[in-house]
Amino acid sequence: MADKVIYATYDDEQVLLKGAKDLVSKGIYIRDVYSPFPIHGLDPIIGVKHTRIAITAFIYGCIGLLLAVFGMWFFMIQDWPMNIGGKPNFTLIDNLPAFVPISFEFTVLLAAHGMALTYFLRNWTLPGVKARNPYPETTDDKFVMELHLHDNHDQSEAELEEMLKATGTTRIEAR
């Protein structure tokens, strides 16, 4: 049997925020909230964990720095050394101050692009992938709370719907 999902629609984000606090204080697990804009303070209430994308940005930045330094050493010193403006390129250490801007820019380039690609892959928001949004109204003016019966096995569907009605929801739909 498939897991039954309950969607509660709200007209106001403050009503949804207060309702989420009430439900979580009663032990109800809220799977997700769909809204047209971020709701400040909702993440800690429904238990959304902090993202680890900063760690991936650091890793991609380190890879960018290593590739930049290796590339500059190989192209400017090993493969094709040139005397540019009276500054001979015989060692990397002698020319390191000239390589700092290039290293910085390549580090930022790889960190930003790697972070963006990681975000797209992690959230599966790629071209051609169907968006997972149960209510198209959430992109305009509605707020939807998603609860799964499996996550809240202590309560029945009727009990969950009664609790949701008490929070000020405008529409409840079970699928």
Side-chain angles (χ1 to χ4, degrees), residues 55-94:
I55 297 168
T56 64
F58 178 75
I59 292 169
Y60 290 130
C62 289
I63 292 169
L65 179 64
L66 289 174
L67 284 175
V69 170
F70 175 76
M72 287 180 294
W73 168 80
F74 182 76
F75 297 130
M76 298 297 289
I77 295 166
Q78 180 68 28
D79 187 41
W80 196 281
M82 293 188 297
N83 187 342
I84 301 172
K87 299 176 186 171
N89 289 328
F90 298 126
T91 63
L92 182 66
I93 298 297
D94 292 338

Side-chain angles (χ1 to χ4, degrees), residues 15-62:
V15 175
L16 180 133
L17 194 60
K18 185 180 177 310
K21 283 180 187 176
D22 291 344
L23 290 172
V24 169
S25 68
K26 294 176 183 174
I28 304 299
Y29 177 73
I30 300 168
R31 175 73 64 102
D32 208 348
V33 172
Y34 301 95
S35 68
F37 53 83
I39 302 172
H40 181 69
L42 182 65
D43 293 351
I45 292 171
I46 64 173
V48 175
K49 297 176 186 171
H50 287 287
T51 179
R52 295 184 305 258
I53 201 157
I55 297 168
T56 64
F58 178 75
I59 292 169
Y60 290 130
C62 289

